[in-house]
Amino acid sequence: MEKLLQFCNINKSFPGVQALSNISFSVKGGSVTALMGENGAGKSTLLKILSGDIHPDDGHVSIDGVPQRFESPYQSIKASVSVIYQERQLVNSMDVMENVFFEDLPQSKLGFISRAELRRRTQEIIDAFGLPIKPNDMVGRLPVAYQQMVEIMKAYRRDSDIIAFDEPTAPLTDKEIEILFKLINQLKARGKIILYVSHRMAEIFKISDEIVVLKDGVFVNSFETAKTNESELVKAMVGRDIGDTYANLKRNENIGGVLLDVKNLVTKDVHDISFQLRRGEVLGFAGLVGAGRTETMRAIFGADPIISGEITIDGKRVHFRSPKDAIAHGIALCPEDRKEQGLVLGRSIRDNVSMPVLSKVRKGPFLNTKSEEKLADAAIKTYSIKTPSSEKEAGELSGGNQQKIILGRWTSDKMDTKILILDEPTKGIDVGTKAEVYQMVCDFAKLGIGVIFISSELTEVINVSDNIVVMQNGRITGTIAREDATEESVLQLAMHN
Ligand SMILES: Nc1ncnc2c1ncn2[C@@H]1O[C@H](COP(=O)(O)OP(=O)(O)OP(=O)(O)O)[C@@H](O)[C@H]1O
Ligand SMILES: [Mg+2]
């Protein structure tokens, strides 16, 4: 019998937000159903209800026609459901096999299984995934992409009937994405029910059969992937036509003289990096994940040591010993990983946005709450952060809205920024807001700021930047002007050898 998952009249509210209103739809086995919608639409909340992590105020989940009341994640797992969260849930201090067999580890059931047996079974799963890791590798020491794959192995090992993925590819490199899609297709062929949340259009069209769109916690519509297109989906998600994002961009037409000049930079990760950034220029950095773009910027920002090479700003040689030094010289770096690099989940949006400029909004020994509030409100408006107020804790926001706080922090007008480095600024951000981020990038350039725009999404990096630097394996392999750039020409440089 074909498996069936139903969401029946689900309601869920949090203080000040109706996260889900009367959500009802069904998902069939043997197909991949994508869940789409803007940041804060309610996608993760719905998956958390499916996983028993939170409880609906009203309504229920039903499996094969049987209503379920999950009091805990354990009950959901027992009902053959696995949810892979947007935020990784691994235990870093345990090894791969302990994580993969986590719920079955303590006493009872698997108590008599030897570590040798555990290792053998984990190795089988690793082989099925085709990854170069070992059962006894410590999870905390693995690259983020592999940590995410271990998370997926946990679900695979349980052999659940229902598997839900919440933005699984965000930390993955292209190679792991390929492995993941192959696995998903195998699971689908075995009749599993698969839910898949992502903001990446190309991915949705590649992997899904059906698409469900949510907006502000409300079910908007469902589509057959083969019978819809990108603009129809965007319209359903945003509620209006956003037109041709790139053609509508108001760019800076007056690019000035050289602002940042990097010559023969060498660090432990990158080799012989030379490039120039002009005033008012948007300089894209393209390449595959792991090409060395983040490492290059960290070195320029004073976060990683430089072995040799020269950096000049406005013709003056600089040596930054720390990010603090770099910030004092007008460099701002908006990092790729919001969790590892600075978002304080337990603090309010306001505190998080004003953090680097505290000395400027501070009056004497007191914080100037009013001007902090102004900064936070500006960020909320610029990036359409979905929240009832700037007092809300960062940890209570949806994943994409957390990313927007980091953007707001590093682009607030209290920063005297000369050079703005954005590392994957649109990761996890919905289509409508992406267009706003691109315009903001151009607006900074119009102010004469030199903007470095790192992105692994080829279309955006090619269309937003004035010039595109391509990196591969820690080296620059070419620079292309926007007029001459095509996805093929950039990819060729990104993968050439
Ligand atoms: N624990 C919580 N406390 C308070 N509000 C919450 C909590 N979890 C979610 N919310 C709110 O519920 C709404 C829906 O959030 P959810 O995480 O489901 O969005 P999402 O569709 O997954 O967005 P994204 O694409 O950004 O990940 C948001 O407004 C969010 O701030
Ligand atoms: Mg989410």
Side-chain angles (χ1 to χ4, degrees):
M1 195 186 76
E2 193 175 75
K3 297 182 190 1
L4 183 68
L5 166 69
Q6 291 164 293
F7 294 98
C8 309
N9 301 310
I10 292 192
N11 281 288
K12 177 72 192 175
S13 64
F14 294 109
V17 199
Q18 185 72 34
L20 295 171
S21 318
N22 227 15
I23 298 288
S24 296
F25 64 89
S26 325
V27 189
K28 296 192 304 280
S31 72
V32 176
T33 302
L35 209 50
M36 296 195 83
E38 295 175 298
N39 299 127
K43 307 175 297 290
S44 297
T45 303
L46 196 64
L47 295 195
K48 283 179 189 157
I49 287 174
L50 178 63
S51 74
D53 215 31
I54 60 179
H55 310 296
D57 301 336
D58 214 1
H60 63 270
V61 168
S62 166
I63 300 177
D64 296 336
V66 183
Q68 310 284 328
R69 305 242 170 248
F70 300 141
E71 295 299 332
S72 67
Y74 181 76
Q75 289 181 1
S76 161
I77 292 170
K78 288 298 143 198
S80 208
V81 177
S82 282
V83 178
I84 294 134
Y85 282 119
Q86 194 167 3
E87 314 296 350
R88 291 177 296 281
Q89 311 273 311
L90 299 168
V91 185
N92 283 340
S93 57
M94 301 204 317
D95 59 21
V96 172
M97 57 190 184
E98 287 164 336
N99 270 287
V100 169
F101 284 89
F102 186 69
E103 337 55 81
D104 290 333
L105 268 189
Q107 346 91 31
S108 64
K109 229 177 90 206
L110 277 178
F112 49 84
I113 287 193
S114 66
R115 282 188 67 85
E117 174 69 5
L118 212 57
R119 184 171 302 129
R120 191 188 60 74
R121 287 167 60 177
T122 307
Q123 188 62 53
E124 272 176 22
I125 298 171
I126 292 173
D127 292 343
F129 277 61
L131 289 179
I133 59 176
K134 291 194 231 46
N136 54 353
D137 282 342
M138 203 58 84
V139 162
R141 296 216 196 98
L142 292 177
V144 187
Y146 291 164
Q147 291 184 6
Q148 176 74 355
M149 293 307 267
V150 172
E151 190 76 56
I152 296 166
M153 286 179 190
K154 267 165 75 175
Y156 181 87
R157 194 274 303 178
R158 290 184 200 133
D159 196 29
S160 308
D161 290 335
I162 301 172
I163 305 176
F165 297 88
D166 199 349
E167 292 187 50
T169 56
L172 298 186
T173 67
D174 299 359
K175 201 159 144 229
E176 282 85 40
I177 293 177
E178 217 172 279
I179 296 176
L180 174 66
F181 281 10
K182 218 164 80 195
L183 280 165
I184 290 181
N185 282 323
Q186 284 169 11
L187 295 169
K188 174 173 136 179
R190 287 166 50 202
K192 308 268 184 199
I193 293 175
I194 296 157
L195 275 170
Y196 189 91
V197 176
S198 173
H199 289 290
R200 299 181 180 173
M201 273 298 174
E203 241 171 44
I204 297 282
F205 280 97
K206 197 160 164 198
I207 198 74
S208 75
D209 302 292
E210 306 275 335
I211 301 167
V212 167
V213 175
L214 303 183
K215 180 170 171 56
D216 296 331
V218 177
F219 174 91
V220 176
N221 212 343
S222 64
F223 302 88
E224 233 180 280
T225 309
K227 292 191 182 147
T228 186
N229 57 47
E230 203 171 314
S231 70
E232 187 178 35
L233 285 176
V234 170
K235 207 166 162 185
M237 279 189 277
V238 183
R240 64 191 151 84
D241 234 325
I242 56 171
D244 184 343
T245 311
Y246 301 118
N248 292 342
L249 270 186
K250 294 181 210 54
R251 305 173 191 273
N252 175 31
E253 308 290 344
N254 303 307
I255 296 178
V258 175
L259 174 60
L260 169 72
D261 193 356
V262 177
K263 280 204 191 97
N264 311 109
L265 182 75
V266 178
T267 73
K268 73 180 196 342
D269 303 301
V270 298
H271 317 280
D272 203 21
I273 301 291
S274 299
F275 70 90
Q276 295 184 327
L277 168 70
R278 295 171 181 277
R279 258 184 221 88
E281 179 184 25
V282 179
L283 185 62
F285 269 72
L288 303 182
V289 176
R293 295 167 297 167
T294 298
E295 290 74 10
T296 300
M297 298 313 152
R298 284 179 56 85
I300 293 173
F301 194 54
D304 286 342
I306 289 172
I307 295 170
S308 62
E310 255 181 47
I311 301 175
T312 52
I313 295 181
D314 278 332
K316 277 198 229 63
R317 232 1 239 279
V318 292
H319 298 272
F320 300 141
R321 259 168 239 102
S322 70
K324 217 171 143 198
D325 241 8
I327 293 170
H329 281 78
I331 304 191
L333 185 145
C334 182
E336 166 182 34
D337 193 326
R338 58 178 183 266
K339 274 284 187 52
E340 271 171 28
Q341 311 194 18
L343 193 71
V344 186
L345 293 177
R347 298 283 285 276
S348 67
I349 300 178
R350 195 185 67 203
D351 291 354
N352 270 290
V353 169
S354 56
M355 212 162 273
V357 294
L358 274 187
S359 57
K360 290 184 185 129
V361 295
R362 196 171 276 177
K363 275 197 179 147
F366 302 107
L367 285 184
N368 183 347
T369 316
K370 269 270 158 325
S371 62
E372 268 189 85
E373 223 163 71
K374 250 174 115 181
L375 281 185
D377 287 342
I380 290 172
K381 189 150 166 273
T382 313
Y383 298 107
S384 352
I385 298 178
K386 194 172 154 51
T387 178
S389 85
S390 60
E391 299 289 323
K392 189 152 168 145
E393 274 182 25
E396 293 180 350
L397 292 181
S398 76
N401 283 304
Q402 291 179 7
Q403 180 74 18
K404 293 175 183 178
I405 298 182
I406 293 286
L407 269 176
R409 172 192 289 179
W410 293 109
T411 56
S412 89
D413 63 3
K414 282 284 186 297
M415 310 270 309
D416 294 320
T417 305
K418 261 198 254 175
I419 298 172
L420 175 63
I421 306 173
L422 301 168
D423 194 352
E424 304 278 4
T426 62
K427 193 157 91 177
I429 283 187
D430 64 58
V431 277
T433 312
K434 271 181 189 168
E436 286 158 38
V437 172
Y438 304 151
Q439 186 55 55
M440 180 214 74
V441 165
C442 295
D443 291 347
F444 276 109
K446 281 188 194 163
L447 294 173
I449 294 170
V451 185
I452 291 179
F453 179 62
I454 302 182
S455 165
S456 296
E457 265 190 56
L458 273 185
T459 331
E460 75 174 17
V461 75
I462 289 175
N463 284 289
V464 175
S465 319
D466 297 305
N467 291 290
I468 301 115
V469 175
V470 189
M471 288 189 69
Q472 190 209 1
N473 268 336
R475 293 175 191 277
I476 289 177
T477 48
T479 302
I480 314 180
R482 180 174 62 248
E483 301 79 58
D484 307 327
T486 59
E487 300 206 359
E488 294 73 54
S489 62
V490 171
L491 259 185
Q492 212 161 38
L493 288 173
M495 310 207 292
H496 102 145
N497 41 31

